[in-house]
Amino acid sequence: MKYTLDYIKTYTEDFEPEIGIVLGSGLGELADKYQEFAIPYKQIPRFPRLQGVEGHKGQLVFANIVGRKVVMMQGRMHYYEGYSMEQVTYPIRVMKELGVNTLILTNAAGIVNKSFRPGDLMVITDHINFMGNNPLIGKNNERYGARFPDMSEVYDKGLVKIADAAGRLLNMNLRHGVYMATTGPSYETPAEVIMARSIGADAVGMSTVPEAIIANHCGMKIIGLSCLTNYAAGVSEKKLNHEEVLKTANEVKDKFIALIMMILQNVK
Ligand code: HPA
């Protein structure tokens, strides 16, 4: 961690980000638009290198957005790419060390709740970790948090309210729901989607939960936002493909970025 931070601080100097944003599919534009300076992951000591998934860049982007100092991950590491849980979540602890206390996690997800529609945005109110792994397994680093961290309010209720208010102002039909994470990379089977619904999931995806567990452990306030890109398997007749996910994410990105900006404006 020390080498990582020493290197990053040669760029940041007195720029201390207060809010971190993990940008999911289609949201790279927010980073492109506001970037003041950026550090490619591959230059940062101990930082995991990004493997090429279409639509992801691979850099930490520092910016001033609506008067807030933010650090963004333009491109995230996914567990299905073969990274360890530690690698997937390492950037979250880096953000914490840089001074971030509020974290905005975004993603693309499949619809499990039949009342939702592709293109809807969803505020994550809770999650189900169905990855069969946990980034906190192993020796606990007391510097960050407790061995057995409480998870009864991972997604900050105050931030949910701020998102709701922003959604109303922007005339969005913002959904609330439980996000279930699987490892991927295969999409779910229809039977798995029925199971997801029966255990309380509204959306399903392949990210976010490891980052949320690590951020919660070290006491960050978290808000999770999902772009619902497609009906999960079996919810509609259609077969799933990554192109459709990217297409919907791209169609919704202006709306999604507007929501994030309004949330940034109102975060305390
Ligand atoms: N399942 C899992 N992850 C996803 C999906 C899905 O249907 N859509 C986007 N990410």
Side-chain angles (χ1 to χ4, degrees):
M1 182 57 78
K2 185 180 178 301
Y3 295 111
T4 304
L5 295 173
D6 285 350
Y7 184 79
I8 292 173
K9 282 175 181 167
T10 63
Y11 281 80
T12 55
E13 295 172 355
D14 59 350
F15 185 106
E16 194 176 293
E18 41 168 346
I19 300 170
I21 311 178
V22 179
L23 297 170
S25 305
L27 290 179
E29 194 179 292
L30 183 67
D32 288 335
K33 205 163 156 188
Y34 291 93
Q35 167 178 337
E36 279 180 27
F37 58 97
I39 318 174
Y41 299 157
K42 60 177 187 293
Q43 285 181 16
I44 307 173
R46 306 282 157 93
F47 215 83
R49 304 284 182 90
L50 198 70
Q51 298 169 14
V53 171
E54 218 184 311
H56 297 289
K57 235 180 197 175
Q59 54 183 7
L60 281 183
V61 176
F62 295 80
N64 234 300
I65 308 180
V66 294
R68 311 309 291 263
K69 284 184 172 164
V70 305
V71 54
M72 291 174 271
M73 282 184 75
Q74 192 173 22
R76 64 144 61 82
M77 297 74 187
H78 295 90
Y79 189 53
Y80 62 72
E81 291 169 287
Y83 297 104
S84 66
M85 277 287 169
E86 190 185 349
Q87 288 174 310
V88 168
T89 56
Y90 186 72
I92 303 302
R93 285 189 170 165
V94 171
M95 287 183 177
K96 173 77 182 176
E97 299 279 4
L98 292 174
V100 168
N101 49 41
T102 300
L103 183 65
I104 303 178
L105 294 170
T106 67
N107 62 50
I111 295 171
V112 171
N113 182 327
K114 290 176 179 169
S115 67
F116 296 172
R117 297 288 169 263
D120 286 351
L121 299 178
M122 185 186 90
V123 184
I124 300 175
T125 53
D126 203 350
H127 77 225
I128 296 171
N129 178 8
F130 211 77
M131 288 183 148
N133 201 344
N134 189 304
L136 292 170
I137 288 176
K139 194 174 180 306
N140 185 52
N141 189 334
E142 294 287 331
R143 225 168 59 73
Y144 290 110
R147 170 75 290 187
F148 302 107
D150 175 57
M151 294 280 283
S152 44
E153 193 186 326
V154 175
Y155 302 90
D156 185 77
K157 288 202 170 79
L159 290 174
V160 171
K161 281 200 180 125
I162 286 170
D164 281 344
R168 276 193 301 276
L169 274 170
L170 293 166
N171 254 319
M172 280 175 196
N173 184 11
L174 203 57
R175 310 293 193 164
H176 277 196
V178 173
Y179 175 94
M180 177 173 124
T182 72
T183 63
S186 46
Y187 289 116
E188 304 68 38
T189 63
E192 286 163 351
V193 173
I194 290 168
M195 175 202 65
R197 188 179 304 119
S198 71
I199 62 175
D202 297 293
V204 62
M206 306 172 189
S207 69
T208 303
V209 162
E211 293 108 308
I213 291 171
I214 288 296
N216 175 72
H217 178 246
C218 66
M220 286 167 136
K221 281 194 176 177
I222 305 165
I223 179 161
L225 302 168
S226 294
C227 173
L228 304 175
T229 51
N230 58 284
Y231 289 115
V235 179
S236 80
E237 307 286 293
K238 269 175 90 177
K239 291 203 172 186
L240 274 62
N241 63 72
H242 185 54
E243 287 63 42
E244 190 195 339
V245 169
L246 291 180
K247 183 170 172 283
T248 312
N250 193 50
E251 284 164 5
V252 177
K253 71 167 189 269
D254 291 344
K255 187 167 100 167
F256 206 159
I257 289 174
L259 178 67
I260 293 171
M261 296 200 19
M262 193 157 289
I263 291 171
L264 284 176
Q265 227 158 20
N266 291 296
V267 168
K268 276 159 207 80

